[in-house]
Amino acid sequence: QVQLVESGGGSVQAGGSLRLSCAVSGYTYSSYCMGWFRQAPGKEREGVAFIAYDGSTTYADSVKGRFTISQDNAKNTLYLQMNSLKPEDTAVYYCAAEPWMTPAQCLGVISLTYWGQGTQVTVSS
């Protein structure tokens, strides 16, 4: 059974940084995309950043240059380093995964097969 468990959310002032983690278990696909969505109150869910099994990445335009996605295969953990945070980054962030899709494909959809429970990120001005 695939499980994704996020951690690392919290509250920070604008300009600050946070690092989200997603512990992955039971995921045995050799080809996949994994990454992060976010959803703010009253807004649609949007893809933020995704990474493939080979380390290739893709980012939403709104976070390019500020967020970095990475993975530690030895620890089965996915990370999202968020720098220069803005109030508009406030949202619940979800870790998600999909087998047999590229990062670009995952960025273009609003729902993947496997999801975590979400972690709140709040950025104050």
Side-chain angles (χ1 to χ4, degrees):
Q1 182 179 359
V2 177
Q3 286 191 320
L4 306 175
V5 180
E6 302 99 332
S7 61
S11 297
V12 65
Q13 289 191 327
S17 299
L18 283 173
R19 188 177 80 157
L20 304 183
S21 299
C22 175
V24 181
S25 61
Y27 199 83
T28 59
Y29 298 98
S30 58
S31 177
Y32 58 81
C33 77
M34 286 189 183
W36 300 88
F37 287 87
R38 66 186 181 186
Q39 188 164 20
K43 293 188 177 181
E44 291 187 351
R45 183 166 53 203
E46 62 173 344
V48 175
F50 293 90
I51 190 167
Y53 67 99
D54 62 0
S56 58
T57 59
T58 193
Y59 297 89
D61 288 342
S62 58
V63 306
K64 280 181 182 176
R66 300 188 298 122
F67 290 11
T68 302
I69 188 171
S70 62
Q71 60 187 349
D72 186 331
N73 292 329
K75 295 182 178 180
N76 293 325
T77 302
L78 183 71
Y79 301 100
L80 184 67
Q81 178 66 43
M82 305 185 293
N83 298 329
S84 302
L85 282 162
K86 304 174 181 180
E88 51 263 45
D89 295 318
T90 296
V92 177
Y93 283 71
Y94 298 90
C95 177
E98 183 71 35
W100 314 116
M101 285 179 67
T102 67
Q105 290 173 326
C106 285
L107 187 64
V109 300
I110 61 171
S111 183
L112 302 183
T113 299
Y114 302 106
W115 290 88
Q117 81 286 358
T119 186
Q120 177 70 45
V121 172
T122 302
V123 184
S124 57
S125 57

